[in-house]
Amino acid sequence: MCGVFGIRSEGRDVARLAYFGLFALQHRGQESAGIAVSEGGRITVVRDMGLVPQVFSSEEKLQALPGEVAIGHTRYSTTGGAHWSNAQPVMHRGAVRTVALGHNGNLVNSEELREELAADGVRLGSTSDTEVIAALVAREPAPLAEAVAAAMRRLEGAYSVVCVAEGTLVAFRDPHGIRPLSIGAIGSDWVIASETCALDLVGARFERDVRPGEVVWVDADGLHTAQAVPEGRSAACIFEHVYFARPDSRLGGREVHMARVRMGERLAEEAPAAADVVMPIPDSGTPAAIGFAKRSGLPYDEGLIKNRYVGRTFIQPDQELRRQGIRLKFNPLDEIAGQRIVVVDDSIVRGNTMRQLVQMLFDAGAEEVHVRVSSPPVVSPCFYGIDMADEDELAAAHRSVDEMREHIGATSLAYLSVEGMQWATHLPSASVCRACFTRSYPTRVPAEGAADKLRFEAVGSRA
Ligand code: SF4
């Protein structure tokens, strides 16, 4: 989970546009944020821990970033701890060029690549896999686009990347297209963003997605493109449709919100409940709850009020923060008392949030709480940039549905089927990754233990 943004323009305030692009991508990462600009080939990076408006807290900070190219990043850690040295964009000075780079995804072979770079005397200043990519591009003795293509041939796993080097904006995507990456245009200027909602905010029209295995680069002559590595089996992350992407974004040409409504409709068909009212876990369960209510004929209402100024609990990386987060975040309404409630959420990953919410609803006087989940049970880790790499943390990995119902304390529990979820996206099953639901991975996966996100941290510095 991370958001990336890039723009090249001779006439616009590129740092300001990157700021607003990142603002639209805040949901993809709330630990740190940063912008790198290139002015006449000279790169400056500002990055820090915190939300985008916290990192860029004044006009002066943006005004100090003039240039023709800007790239930006919002981070949620999946390799390397949540500390400053792993904030992005990273900047790496190599033997051939200096590269600033932002990455969404996760490499599955970063350990091998780190060892190889270390053996060649390349020093890395961070523990994330992102600097590995920057270092490969920075040392390759070839024109920039060819250097990127050479680096891509070495990478395995998920990567949607923006980078700047030699005054050129570059974007590239892994051959399976696991994480999203879109191209837009404002007038004759080109924009790259993780999601189309960022293009909308800066006034860019959507042109197309970066193709799996493609590298695009934008210089003073405009946009150029090459198929750097052969396109593999398409494996776009289906969890983006379920939860991660903003509902107003378009993935694979389809609006995410409507896919989520369809998931709720299908769920109502597959797992109806005798109840008085349907309510969402806001905001992640809202579209599916709308769909469930529509199809079931039950009234839709709000029962939990969310404090929208608290970050998403899923995005906070440490268990203790997550536990505290729930109390800060939701408050039940009086009308819950005496009701048989269908409560809809998009997914259950670790189960802590749902267990506390069910308890909260019963404490508020609910008679019955029927939990309906608009995706299948998450049973297997993600190695592609979503922080669920440890099977032991996945509540459903070793529990039956009834054991899960008992675990969360609900009156009844049902999940959407894999087929139902697939149907709702309107995408062919052969074009997506659904490995965390099915255990069928589109790439080689790391050996046990090699996926620990803090594996490159020195003992004592694991954050
Ligand atoms: S394993 Fe799950 S979360 Fe990870 S890329 Fe595949 S579908 Fe997405």
Side-chain angles (χ1 to χ4, degrees):
M1 269 287 264
C2 288
V4 296
F5 184 88
I7 179 167
R8 190 182 198 289
S9 173
E10 307 264 332
R12 296 173 207 273
D13 182 346
V14 290
R16 183 174 300 269
L17 289 166
Y19 171 87
F20 283 108
L22 294 184
F23 199 69
L25 298 172
Q26 186 73 83
H27 62 289
R28 297 186 70 86
Q30 301 172 347
E31 287 177 8
S32 62
I35 293 174
V37 292
S38 169
E39 185 185 29
R42 191 174 152 271
I43 298 173
T44 308
V45 182
V46 174
R47 58 190 178 131
D48 210 339
M49 305 306 292
L51 301 172
V52 178
Q54 290 169 322
V55 176
F56 298 95
S57 54
S58 66
E59 280 285 329
E60 291 72 36
K61 285 195 176 173
L62 286 177
Q63 282 163 4
L65 292 172
E68 309 84 45
V69 183
I71 62 166
H73 189 268
T74 56
R75 177 165 195 255
Y76 176 68
S77 55
T78 51
T79 301
H83 47 71
W84 185 86
S85 61
N86 284 333
Q88 298 185 32
V90 299
M91 183 149 79
H92 187 90
R93 290 185 177 82
V96 177
R97 59 180 64 84
T98 297
V99 176
L101 186 145
H103 168 213
N104 173 208
N106 213 45
L107 303 183
V108 296
N109 65 336
S110 54
E111 203 151 358
E112 293 147 46
L113 296 171
R114 285 182 86 87
E115 281 167 14
E116 193 182 304
L117 288 165
D120 285 353
V122 176
R123 290 173 60 87
L124 300 179
S126 69
T127 56
S128 77
D129 52 356
T130 303
E131 196 182 354
V132 170
I133 307 175
L136 289 173
V137 176
R139 77 191 207 133
E140 188 68 31
L144 180 58
E146 286 172 37
V148 170
M152 289 170 73
R153 287 192 283 274
R154 305 299 321 283
L155 307 177
E156 285 182 44
Y159 54 90
S160 281
V161 171
V162 292
C163 76
V164 57
E166 300 166 358
T168 300
L169 169 66
V170 186
F172 51 101
R173 197 171 176 206
D174 68 75
H176 299 287
I178 295 174
R179 299 271 143 246
L181 196 61
S182 296
I183 306 173
I186 320 176
S188 58
D189 294 329
W190 294 97
V191 183
I192 307 288
S194 287
E195 288 183 35
T196 60
C197 65
L199 300 179
D200 295 338
L201 195 155
V202 301
R205 65 180 181 276
F206 170 75
E207 292 287 328
R208 66 176 175 87
D209 290 331
V210 177
R211 281 188 295 274
E214 184 186 26
V215 55
V216 299
W217 65 102
V218 187
D219 56 21
D221 299 326
L223 183 127
H224 316 268
T225 169
Q227 189 68 34
V229 288
E231 192 168 336
R233 132 150 159 55
S234 172
C237 170
I238 203 165
F239 224 135
E240 295 274 354
H241 300 257
V242 169
Y243 171 72
F244 299 125
R246 242 172 65 161
D248 51 333
S249 287
R250 299 177 76 79
L251 293 172
R254 291 161 181 87
E255 193 187 61
V256 171
H257 173 79
M258 278 317 295
R260 290 179 187 165
V261 171
R262 286 191 293 273
M263 287 173 198
E265 289 176 344
R266 178 73 175 243
L267 183 59
E269 287 168 18
E270 293 184 5
D276 303 312
V277 65
V278 178
M279 52 183 57
I281 304 294
D283 299 313
S284 55
T286 302
I290 291 170
F292 194 102
K294 209 163 110 188
R295 184 52 51 100
S296 65
L298 293 170
Y300 171 92
D301 207 345
E302 302 222 359
L304 288 165
I305 297 304
K306 182 181 176 184
N307 181 337
R308 295 198 162 78
Y309 301 96
V310 180
R312 306 207 295 196
T313 52
F314 180 71
I315 217 102
Q316 293 168 356
D318 132 318
Q319 284 286 357
E320 190 47 44
L321 277 176
R322 264 185 210 110
R323 252 177 246 124
Q324 292 175 8
I326 189 73
R327 279 179 243 126
L328 292 168
K329 207 168 162 182
F330 295 105
N331 212 14
L333 293 172
D334 287 348
E335 66 191 62
I336 284 172
Q339 300 278 326
R340 295 173 304 159
I341 299 165
V342 174
V343 61
V344 181
D345 205 358
D346 64 286
S347 56
I348 299 179
V349 178
R350 291 170 182 83
N352 298 332
T353 307
M354 186 56 86
R355 198 173 60 228
Q356 293 172 68
L357 282 170
V358 169
Q359 188 58 50
M360 191 183 268
L361 292 170
F362 277 125
D363 290 347
E367 208 165 281
E368 295 175 3
V369 178
H370 301 274
V371 175
R372 293 294 179 270
V373 184
S374 61
S375 63
V378 176
V379 293
S380 205
C382 175
F383 303 107
Y384 309 124
I386 300 302
D387 186 22
M388 18 189 234
D390 185 350
E391 192 167 319
D392 292 339
E393 283 190 2
L394 305 176
H398 304 292
R399 288 184 177 94
S400 66
V401 174
D402 198 51
E403 286 166 340
M404 270 300 289
R405 183 201 60 72
E406 209 168 301
H407 178 66
I408 62 171
T411 311
S412 75
L413 167 68
Y415 295 86
L416 182 62
S417 65
V418 172
E419 297 70 31
M421 172 180 67
Q422 189 68 56
W423 167 84
T425 64
H426 286 180
L427 294 170
S429 59
S431 72
V432 296
C433 172
R434 350 181 263 200
C436 50
F437 303 112
T438 63
R439 296 193 169 95
S440 172
Y441 291 91
T443 71
R444 170 170 85 105
V445 297
E448 208 174 322
D452 174 358
K453 80 170 181 177
L454 303 180
R455 62 194 177 280
F456 303 126
E457 307 278 328
V459 175
S461 74
R462 289 160 75 111

